[in-house]
Structures are given as structure tokens and as C-alpha cells.
Amino acid sequence: MDSFASKQINGSMLTRNPLLDPEEFRREGYMVIDFLADYYRNVEKYPVRSQVEPGYLRERLPESAPSHPEPIDTILKDVMNDLVPGLTHWQSPNHFAYFPSSASIAGILGETLAAGFDVVGFNWMSSPAATELETIVMDWLGRMLTLPKSFMFSGNGGGVLLGTTCEALLTTIVAARDRLLERIGRENIGKLVVYGSDQTHCSFHKSAKIAGIHPKNIRKIKTTKSSAFGLRPDSLRSAVEADVEAGLLPLFLCATVGTTSTAAVDLLGPLCDVAKDYGIWVHVDAAYAGNACICPEFRRYIDGVEGVDAFSFNAHKWFFTTLDCCCLWVKDPGALVKALSTSPEYLSNRATDSKQVDYKDWQITLSRRFRALKLWLVLRSYGVENLRNFIRKHVKMAMRFEELVAEDQRFEIPVPRFFAMVCFRISPTAILKQLYSSCHQHCQKYVEEDSVNDMNRKLLDSINGEGHIYMTHAVVDGVFVIRFAVGASLTEMRHVMNAWKIVQEHAGELLGQTLCTCSKSTACEREAPVPYLSPLRLPLVNSSAVKTSEC
């Protein structure tokens, strides 16, 4: 081996910088690329969800770092033997959990270029190309979404690439907070109230607390099935009016397009009408579904965006751009800059004085990564039409899965499908039917929602425990649903069909184990409660409180 490690071990003299020797970088870089290429070729063979137990890695690795260099081939062997078993394979075509984290060749290579340059583009002067490419890419994306000109740099707005939605929410809450407190006095921070629905992502609550909003002033407004779990404008108005009457100050609304639990959509136009009446800053969290809105047929889900103050989506979710890459647009960049800017003497320069964009003043941290490079590669490598077609393909797969669920009478779809995510469960009716058949008699039966939830929880645990596919869950209005989210870059229709086959097999086994708890030779003397009224269903059976007959 002629690696740096072997040279050191053999006592060879070094003539180049061992940390960035071009030829050694080339040799080891090829090895890493080959390793990843083999990984992607075989990723379908791995259990999607890691099967290891907590603490497994500490038992495999030494207690201390090595005193002497180790060659890259040895390290890569340990990656395969020790780390890969502990990975949940988000790029597996059988990953249907959470929301996707869709990688691509262009995204990975863009990340590699950015890591290789390793520039720290906190202001224009620190790397002009990093800043200017970001402004251009954000305008490109804004046009793809047909955002109003007020969000573009040419319209006095602008976009910035952050790490996550939590950062986008925190920066905009802080900007809204300072803009209001400047007018009413900072001593009134305890009166500020922020609003979201009970489906709003938990990062909203976290960001509000970091921004100094009192936890008691963070509203989670209830949603219902009648509005497909979207936030109703009348519910928002009622909450705001109650706070105003109590002497509080409405500050911020987080509206969601594509909620985490069910991908539900808050209707932006009517919500903005309410917010406008009270001077509330509106931020749209479209972390998942905003990606789909580059397709004209899905653009309607952000109708009304002209009335909001800020809009964000995560390109690392469904835009084939590696983590992390959150795209945030604001109408009033000055509000961000005023709240977040720092101007120490050691950063002063003529470009800043001439009002060039300094992205350090649009975000929480000073240092920042060259995220625009990977997004630029994705846009150029695939083009807008291909990106749209990738998303359409995933939606089509989800629609097919939805059809398969609907055709099987053992299952139900408790909430509408949005985009490429289907929520489903074993139905209470299927459980009742199995109970009847196991009794061999038509004795009185009922099913409580907790029992139905437990059954579906067991189904999901059984499927995920096997490792062939991976799904996650949500609880909506007390109902446990299994989420099937299509979006991994390598997923094809055959993976969806195979996933459905696995779901059916596990459901069949589980329902076959559902036996009547009554003795067939002893009368049931327990009181049968009034059947539980599921929040997502009609009454399961019609009866009053009576003693059940003998099985």
C-alpha cells in the first residue's frame, strides 16, 4: 500500500501534505465511491430498519481512538461490518416510513463538491460564488413553484438555504417577534401568542420556545375529520379573538401544507384572511408537500401563498437533494436581517457596505455550508420536467397502494390520501368478523378503539420486525393509523406491490390469532358496554348495555 497510513508505519519520508495529497485523495476517493456504488447496488438486500439492539456499537469498537494511522481499506471494512448493520436504510426502495429522504447521483456529487471546496460562505466576500449561486437557485425554485414576485430577489423578497424546517421556523418567529416588539416594547414578550393546529409539526413548538414564547401561549388548535384534519379559519379566528379579549397579542401562524401525520393541507387563502385582520405573520411549512407543488396539478395546494409572509419546503425530502437543504423564502428579508444580523469589525468589507446579500444575517449561525451547489447540480442534471415526473411516479404508486387497500375488506383508509402518502389500518369490522367466526355463534360483541389500535400496532410491529419493509405510524384523533409514504429514489411499482403482499400476509396471521375470549361452555356474565363510537367511524354495532348470551 502507498497510503499515508502505510508510509507512516514504514517510516517513509513525506514530500506532500499528508492530509490533502491529491493522488492519495484520488486513490481513497475512488475506493469510497466504489464502496457506495456497491452499497446502492445491494441496498435492497438489507433489512430496511436496523435490527440491532441499543448499545451494540460500543461492544464492537475499541474504547479509545487509535494511536497510529489506519488505512482506508481497513476502515471501510469496519464500516461494512460494524456500521452498516446499525443503519436504517433510508435509500432502500422498501423504505416507506416517515417522509422520504430522497438521494440522487447529482445530489451526492454536489455534496461531494461542496465538501471538497469546504468554503465557509457566511458573507459575500467569504465566497462570492456561494452567495450568488444561492440567490440564483432560490429564484429558479421560486419560479418553478410560481411563487409571487414578492418572494423573489427581483421583487424585494428573497430566498435562503437553511438546514431544516426548525431553523426556518425559528428565524421567522424571531423576525416576527422583533418586528412587533419594536413597536410595542420588549417588556410585552410575555403577551405574544403563536398559532398552529394539533397537526402542526413538533418543531413549531420547539422553535417558539427557543424564541422566548411562553409555552402557555403556544396554541394547538384542534382539527377534525370533517376538514380532513386541516386547520379551519373559523377555529383560528375563535382562538385569536379569545386571546385578544384576554389582553394577549397574536403574533405568528404556522400553516402546514402536508402535515406529518396524514399529509393534510391547511387552506392558505382563508387562513391568511384571518391573519390579516390581526396583523399576524404567516409562515407556510410545506416541508414535504411543497416539493410536489412544482407540478402544475399540485400547485393548487398552495393557492393563497401570495398572502403569507414566509414559505419553506425541504429539498432533502422529495427533491433528490441530500440532507440537509431547507428552502425558505421571505417577503421582507429586512425583518430577518434586522433580527439576526451581526456586524463585528473583523467582518467589515466594502461588499457588505454596498448592501450585497450576507447570508449570515438570514440564519441562526454565522458559518454556513455551500448547499446551493448540490441543488444546482440536481436542477441541471435532471431538469424541471424530469423532477416533476419523478414526483408523479411516486404519487401514482401511492394511488395504486390506496386502491389495493380499498379492495381488501379487512382494511380501511381512515383519512384521505394526499400526495404520495396513504394512511390505513385493519378495520374494526374485520376484527368483529373474526371474533364472530371464532365463537361459531352470533353472540353479542363489541370492539373498543383501544383494541383496534392495539391490533394495528401489533401489525406494524410484526411487519417492521421482519425487516423486509419499513413503515411508521401516527395517531389522529385517537386512532392509530399506519403510514405508507412512497418517495425513496429507487422505489418502483414492484416494491409497492410486494409491500402490500407483506401487509396482507401479516394481517392474515394476526387476524387468525384473534380468538374469542369467552368460554364456549360457560355463560358470559360480564356486562357489555355501549359500543365505542370511533371518532373516524360510525358506531360499530347497534346495541345497548346488555349481558351477552352464552357462546
Side-chain angles (χ1 to χ4, degrees):
M1 288 183 233
D2 74 333
S3 68
F4 164 57
S6 62
K7 289 176 184 176
Q8 282 290 89
I9 292 171
N10 296 331
S12 301
M13 294 299 292
L14 296 168
T15 58
R16 295 185 180 182
N17 183 342
L19 298 180
L20 281 176
D21 178 90
E23 294 310 313
E24 186 58 24
F25 175 66
R26 189 188 313 278
R27 189 187 75 85
E28 295 189 18
Y30 280 139
M31 292 178 69
V32 171
I33 293 295
D34 285 343
F35 178 92
L36 287 174
D38 289 340
Y39 168 76
Y40 277 108
R41 183 171 57 195
N42 298 312
V43 68
E44 191 171 347
K45 300 176 183 178
Y46 298 118
V48 188
R49 191 185 71 176
S50 175
Q51 304 294 298
V52 301
E53 296 295 328
Y56 91 99
L57 191 57
R58 191 166 291 278
E59 297 177 1
R60 298 192 184 196
L61 298 187
E63 291 186 1
S64 303
S67 299
H68 302 287
E70 297 180 18
I72 188 66
D73 51 353
T74 298
I75 296 170
L76 287 177
K77 286 178 183 177
D78 290 343
V79 171
M80 176 56 68
N81 295 331
D82 297 332
L83 299 189
V84 170
L87 297 179
T88 289
H89 300 283
W90 283 71
Q91 303 312 315
S92 168
N94 295 309
H95 186 285
F96 303 104
Y98 309 106
F99 281 129
S101 178
S102 56
S104 66
I105 293 173
I108 294 169
L109 294 181
E111 189 76 68
T112 302
L113 279 172
F117 290 137
D118 199 24
V119 300
V120 188
F122 46 78
N123 61 11
W124 183 90
M125 187 64 73
S126 65
S127 266
T131 294
E132 296 197 13
L133 184 62
E134 189 162 333
T135 63
I136 291 166
V137 165
M138 290 304 291
D139 272 358
W140 281 7
L141 279 172
R143 292 188 186 97
M144 290 167 64
L145 290 162
T146 61
L147 292 180
K149 187 177 180 181
S150 54
F151 282 111
M152 310 293 185
F153 283 98
S154 59
N156 297 320
V160 58
L161 293 173
L162 303 175
T164 65
T165 297
C166 191
E167 293 175 47
L169 283 167
L170 178 54
T171 54
T172 52
I173 291 174
V174 167
R177 178 200 69 189
D178 283 10
R179 188 171 70 177
L180 180 58
L181 291 180
E182 185 179 16
R183 194 171 76 244
I184 65 172
R186 290 193 168 270
E187 67 276 8
N188 289 304
I189 189 171
K191 296 180 180 180
L192 302 183
V193 186
V194 297
Y195 302 87
S197 81
D198 56 0
Q199 304 301 309
T200 303
H201 194 268
C202 61
S203 60
F204 169 62
H205 191 276
K206 182 176 184 177
S207 300
K209 288 199 298 182
I210 295 172
I213 306 301
H214 196 290
K216 291 182 179 179
N217 290 350
I218 302 173
R219 302 285 178 258
K220 295 181 180 181
I221 303 170
K222 183 173 176 55
T223 59
T224 63
K225 187 186 180 185
S226 63
S227 62
F229 296 100
L231 177 59
R232 293 173 58 95
D234 56 342
S235 299
L236 173 64
R237 187 176 293 277
S238 295
V240 172
E241 288 177 350
D243 287 330
V244 171
E245 290 178 7
L248 300 176
L249 300 169
L251 173 69
F252 188 95
L253 167 65
C254 178
T256 307
V257 176
T259 61
T260 300
S261 294
T262 66
V265 175
D266 295 340
L267 297 180
L268 303 184
L271 293 173
C272 287
D273 290 340
V274 177
K276 186 177 180 181
D277 290 343
Y278 296 92
I280 297 172
W281 177 299
V282 181
H283 177 95
V284 176
D285 170 15
Y288 161 66
N291 295 270
C293 293
I294 67 167
C295 301
E297 65 269 31
F298 299 127
R299 172 58 174 75
R300 61 190 174 89
Y301 288 108
I302 59 171
D303 284 353
V305 70
E306 62 275 3
V308 311
D309 298 276
F311 176 91
S312 67
F313 82 87
N314 289 345
H316 59 250
K317 273 193 166 60
W318 203 8
F319 211 75
F320 312 98
T321 305
T322 52
L323 189 74
D324 54 12
C325 192
C326 176
C327 308
L328 168 68
W329 290 267
V330 290
K331 281 184 177 176
D332 181 12
L336 283 183
V337 172
K338 197 165 187 178
L340 302 171
S341 66
T342 52
S343 302
E345 177 58 32
Y346 52 78
L347 293 182
S348 64
N349 61 85
R350 283 183 292 178
T352 295
D353 294 341
S354 67
K355 305 302 180 184
Q356 290 290 335
V357 172
D358 282 351
Y359 273 125
K360 70 179 177 61
D361 298 330
W362 294 49
Q363 62 176 34
I364 300 164
T365 62
L366 173 69
S367 300
R368 63 195 324 271
R369 303 173 61 228
F370 194 176
R371 296 186 181 96
L373 188 53
K374 60 186 175 184
L375 199 49
W376 188 56
L377 257 72
V378 167
L379 291 171
R380 293 193 61 191
S381 297
Y382 304 124
V384 176
E385 282 307 311
N386 270 333
L387 291 169
R388 287 172 175 162
N389 288 333
F390 288 142
I391 289 169
R392 287 170 177 145
K393 182 181 72 170
H394 289 146
V395 173
K396 188 175 181 179
M397 292 181 206
M399 291 173 68
R400 180 57 183 147
F401 187 85
E402 180 185 31
E403 291 171 356
L404 294 168
V405 175
E407 290 168 2
D408 191 324
Q409 295 183 356
R410 297 173 300 174
F411 295 89
E412 66 175 4
I413 300 172
V415 297
R417 175 192 56 79
F418 286 102
F419 308 103
M421 213 259 286
V422 181
C423 294
F424 70 101
R425 68 172 182 166
I426 295 175
S427 71
T429 303
I431 298 171
L432 278 170
K433 185 177 180 180
Q434 187 63 31
L435 288 169
Y436 282 142
S437 64
S438 66
C439 285
H440 305 289
Q441 301 244 357
H442 293 291
C443 57
Q444 180 68 56
K445 292 295 171 186
Y446 67 96
V447 176
E448 290 191 359
E449 194 62 65
D450 285 347
S451 299
V452 181
N453 287 347
D454 287 343
M455 176 70 75
N456 282 282
R457 189 175 283 108
K458 289 176 182 176
L459 173 62
L460 182 60
D461 288 344
S462 174
I463 292 169
N464 287 340
E466 190 178 56
H468 295 316
I469 64 173
Y470 184 30
M471 300 180 292
T472 46
H473 76 280
V475 177
V476 191
D477 209 8
V479 173
F480 183 99
V481 297
I482 300 172
R483 301 168 67 261
F484 186 82
V486 183
S489 303
L490 296 173
T491 300
E492 299 175 359
M493 188 65 80
R494 64 183 176 89
H495 299 107
V496 172
M497 301 301 289
N498 184 61
W500 174 239
K501 181 180 177 182
I502 290 171
V503 170
Q504 286 184 305
E505 289 173 352
H506 282 262
E509 293 175 6
L510 192 60
L511 287 170
Q513 298 168 6
T514 305
L515 300 177
C516 178
T517 56
C518 305
S519 167
K520 293 178 182 176
S521 60
T522 306
C524 291
E525 294 298 329
R526 57 190 176 80
E527 195 78 7
V530 175
Y532 183 80
L533 181 60
S534 164
L536 297 186
R537 293 179 55 82
L538 296 172
L540 302 179
V541 291
N542 295 315
S543 73
S544 56
V546 294
K547 289 186 178 181
T548 61
S549 61
E550 181 176 303
C551 292

